[in-house]
């Protein structure tokens, strides 16, 4: 999992690496916020009380909280109206995403790019960069979409079930158009697959193995190292350089390695034909 916001700030990750670093933690926090407003259940109860409002579990709300209670209508349980809840979610998440990117841009400009000598340019880069604004719009629209569409689905269908969350999640996910990031999409894909597996395991649909994580890691590693050796153009350059650095290797010439492999396969085929008494294949003409 990704580190929390505080640890990200302390590491000073550069905001120019727009495909991943520092994004997932803010996204996770926004995901929690997108559901917080819809998870508070307060039901009206009977009884007369002049100092509070009776609720289903017998407890009482203080007098200054009575106005919250009046918004608990239908299937929505947030403390404000649906529109208010949606707008507040957008503003809160936009401020969080925008603020995170500003801090990272300032740290990167000061320590990595030496812009402390040019304060005007530093401030323009940190506060006015399109990436900074787009990231705030992404988190804000994601949270607002999740909240607003959930409320809309409850109103239209007159029920609360998993279908509401599926539709709301799908439509809210389109907010990634504001901040295109392959790494964030892949991060969420892995989390979604993990959740799907856990849900299926809880229902007894799939078994769990003691060393399944090791097997999964081995399979993933085999795919990555095949790509590293034979399909290097499918790897991100930064990841390829990382493998070269930790392994002491270098970028391979795929054509040269392909020629070596072809030569070995031809030699193996010739040996097999001699062993079986078969004639040599006719030379191929170009």
């Amino acid at each position: 999992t990704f580190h929390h916001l505080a640890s990200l700030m302390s590491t000073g990750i550069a905001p120019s690496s727009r495909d991943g670093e520092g994004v997932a933690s803010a996204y996770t926090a926004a995901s929690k916020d997108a559901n917080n407003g819809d998870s508070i259940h307060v039901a009206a109860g009977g009884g007369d009380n002049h100092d509070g409002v009776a609720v289903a579990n017998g407890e009482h709300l203080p007098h200054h909280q009575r106005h919250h209670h009046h918004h608990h209508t239908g299937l929505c349980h947030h403390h404000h109206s649906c529109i208010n809840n949606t707008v507040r979610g957008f503003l809160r998440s936009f401020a969080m995403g925008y603020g995170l990117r500003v801090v990272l841009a300032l740290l990167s400009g000061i320590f990595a790019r030496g812009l402390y000598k040019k304060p005007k340019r530093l401030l323009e880069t940190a506060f006015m960069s399109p990436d900074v604004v787009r990231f705030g719009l992404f988190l804000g629209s994601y949270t607002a979409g999740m909240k607003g569409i959930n409320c809309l689905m409850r109103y239209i269908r007159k029920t609360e079930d998993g279908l509401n969350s599926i539709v709301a999640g799908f439509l809210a996910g389109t907010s990634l158009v504001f901040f295109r990031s392959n790494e964030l999409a892949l991060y969420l894909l892995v989390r979604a697959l993990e959740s799907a597996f856990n849900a299926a395991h809880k229902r007894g649909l799939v078994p769990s193995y003691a060393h399944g994580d090791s097997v999964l890691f081995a399979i993933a590693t085999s795919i990555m190292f095949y790509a590293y050796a034979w399909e290097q153009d499918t790897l991100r350059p930064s990841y390829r350089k990382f493998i070269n650095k930790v392994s002491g290797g270098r970028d391979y010439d795929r054509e040269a390695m392909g020629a070596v492999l072809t030569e070995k396969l031809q030699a193996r085929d010739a040996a097999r034909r001699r062993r079986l008494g078969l004639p040599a294949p006719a030379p191929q003409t170009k």
Side-chain angles (χ1 to χ4, degrees), residues 90-101:
F90 174 85
L91 295 176
R92 184 185 301 112
S93 293
F94 177 85
M96 180 179 62
Y98 180 81
L100 170 65
R101 296 293 290 189

